[in-house]
Amino acid sequence: MDCPECGSAVVAFEVPEQFRELLPGDEAGVGVCTHCLTLRPVADPPTGQPDCQRISDAFPTNPDAAVPMALAVGLLDRFALYRSEIATLFDAVERAGTDPMLVVDRLAADPTVDSHVDLDGRRRQLEQLL
């Protein structure tokens, strides 16, 4: 599966039940672009744990932190609409032992990522939210 925005590879995965209500749409899964970090719904996602390290080395290796982090990053382009959902996802990342703000910093500095969202600008907004 390739990203319709930039043509790069997409990491698709099933969204855990506890996070489905936080995302727009009714699809069982999502795909995250490995280059522009665009989040897209996926009707028939692969099962099993995703390898979010394929998106960037900035992502945690622990799927309990990586999955909510990938979902939160995917929602950053609609920050005003999904503020509480992003905060809930960041809480899940922290409970899994990872600092989500550090992940955002590392994604912003990753030369392989060209996010469609200004990650540095969003980080400042996230600091105010959290």
Side-chain angles (χ1 to χ4, degrees):
M1 172 186 238
D2 291 334
C3 176
E5 298 296 321
C6 70
S8 296
V10 170
V11 174
F13 56 93
E14 186 174 16
V15 177
E17 191 67 37
Q18 73 264 29
F19 300 131
R20 285 192 185 159
E21 67 182 30
L22 302 175
L23 301 177
D26 297 326
E27 288 79 4
V30 295
V32 179
C33 178
T34 58
H35 183 68
C36 70
L37 304 179
T38 300
L39 181 75
R40 297 268 184 234
V42 174
D44 189 24
T47 59
Q49 298 295 333
D51 180 9
C52 291
Q53 292 276 296
R54 286 184 41 221
I55 301 169
S56 169
D57 290 340
F59 276 90
T61 56
N62 175 1
D64 291 337
V67 168
M69 189 70 222
L71 298 174
V73 166
L75 293 176
L76 288 177
D77 65 336
R78 294 166 275 176
F79 181 75
L81 186 60
Y82 292 106
R83 287 171 47 150
S84 66
E85 290 84 351
I86 292 167
T88 299
L89 291 163
F90 271 30
D91 286 344
V93 173
E94 287 177 340
R95 282 192 308 276
T98 298
D99 179 354
M101 298 299 273
L102 183 58
V103 175
V104 172
D105 286 344
R106 289 179 178 167
L107 284 170
D110 187 335
T112 67
V113 171
D114 185 16
S115 177
H116 68 287
V117 174
D118 174 13
L119 292 174
D120 290 323
R122 287 294 190 246
R123 188 188 195 299
R124 287 188 295 277
Q125 291 174 324
L126 288 166
E127 287 175 342
Q128 294 172 0
L129 170 68
L130 307 173

